[in-house]
Amino acid sequence: TALTINSEVADQIAIDIAAVNTIADVVNITADSVTTANVIDISCDGLTTGSALKIEDDSAATGLGGARNLVDIYQKNTAADVAIPLYVKSDGSQTAVLIDKNASGVAAQNARGLQIDFDRTVPGSGTAAHNDVGINVDVNSASLGTSTLKGMEIDVVGATSGTSTAYGLDVTVSGADSHYGVFVNSPDTGFHHKNTSTSSATEGGKISLVSNDGSALGDDHRLGVLQFAAYDGA
C-alpha cells in the first residue's frame, strides 16, 4: 500500500480537500493497467440514512443536454460491445433505482423524468440484423400468495388548473417497412380497457380510432379498421 490513513477518531473527517480550481481537475485518477480489480472500492456495511457516495450540485446552468453533467459516464471503445457503462444490482431493497424529479418555475418547460437517446449508425456494408430495443423490461416473479405481476405501471395525473391533455402512453412509430403502434404477444387477453367511471349511456370501455393527417376528410375515406389475421402478416 502506497498510502494508508487510519482515522481512529469518531465523527472526524479523514480527508478534507478545499480546492479553488477552475479549469483543472481536483482529483485525477489514471489506472489504465487495472483489469480485474476496482479503480475505487467503497465498503460501508453500517449505513442507515447516509449514502456511500453523495454528489451535491448547486451550479446555475440551464439547457437540456448542455455541457454540464452532474455525472458523466463515457464508455467510448466501440469494440467493447458487451461492456455495461452503468450496472445496478440490488438484492435487498424494494426499489432498485429511484428517480425523484421535481419541476417548477414560470417559464415554459418540457421536463422529463428519464430520457433515452438511442441512435444506431447505418453500417457501410453487410447485411447483419440489428434487433435494437430502447427499453427492455424483463420481470420474473413467483409468489405463493394471491399476487399480481406487471411489466410496467404508469400513473399519470394531469393538472386541472389550465387546459391540459394527459396521456398514459404516447407512441409514435415511423421510418420502417412495417409499423406497429403497439404489438402484443399474449396467450390471454391482449388488450383490456377498464373504465372506472360510473357506467351510463356515455361511460364505459372505449377504443377510439382517429384518422388525422391535418386535412379535411374526403369522401369514402377510412376512419378506422379492425383487422383479424390468423398469423403475422396475413
Side-chain angles (χ1 to χ4, degrees):
T1 303
L3 175 64
T4 299
I5 298 176
N6 292 322
S7 180
E8 298 180 354
V9 180
D11 301 328
Q12 179 175 326
I13 298 176
I15 300 177
D16 193 344
I17 300 176
V20 295
N21 303 42
T22 56
I23 60 174
D25 299 336
V26 176
V27 178
N28 193 319
I29 299 176
T30 301
D32 295 335
S33 299
V34 175
T35 55
T36 58
N38 300 313
V39 177
I40 298 177
D41 194 332
I42 299 176
S43 178
C44 46
D45 297 334
L47 286 176
T48 54
T49 58
S51 303
L53 178 63
K54 179 181 179 180
I55 301 175
E56 185 173 336
D57 178 27
D58 195 17
S59 303
T62 59
L64 178 64
R68 182 178 66 85
N69 299 320
L70 191 56
V71 177
D72 193 353
I73 300 176
Y74 184 18
Q75 195 279 311
K76 62 182 182 179
N77 194 327
T78 58
D81 56 350
V82 296
I84 300 176
L86 179 61
Y87 178 75
V88 177
K89 182 178 180 181
S90 175
D91 295 332
S93 61
Q94 297 187 54
T95 303
V97 177
L98 173 62
I99 299 176
D100 187 357
K101 167 65 178 175
N102 299 301
S104 62
V106 180
Q109 287 184 333
N110 296 319
R112 299 168 177 86
L114 174 63
Q115 175 170 334
I116 298 177
D117 186 0
F118 180 7
D119 302 300
R120 174 182 288 279
T121 303
V122 178
S125 62
T127 59
H130 301 102
N131 300 310
D132 299 325
V133 180
I135 298 178
N136 189 351
V137 179
D138 186 1
V139 180
N140 294 281
S141 176
S143 176
L144 298 178
T146 303
S147 308
T148 59
L149 171 63
K150 300 178 182 180
M152 182 179 296
E153 182 175 0
I154 302 175
D155 186 6
V156 179
V157 179
T160 58
S161 57
T163 302
S164 63
T165 302
Y167 296 89
L169 185 63
D170 188 357
V171 180
T172 301
V173 181
S174 62
D177 296 326
S178 300
H179 305 83
Y180 297 93
V182 177
F183 190 90
V184 179
N185 285 322
S186 175
D188 204 343
T189 305
F191 179 80
H192 179 80
H193 178 209
K194 180 180 179 181
N195 190 333
T196 58
S197 301
T198 302
S199 60
S200 66
T202 58
E203 289 293 341
K206 178 175 63 176
I207 297 177
S208 178
L209 303 179
V210 179
S211 179
N212 181 17
D213 62 355
S215 301
L217 193 66
D219 293 338
D220 298 328
H221 280 201
R222 188 178 72 191
L223 293 175
V225 62
L226 294 178
Q227 293 181 332
F228 300 88
Y231 58 93
D232 294 343

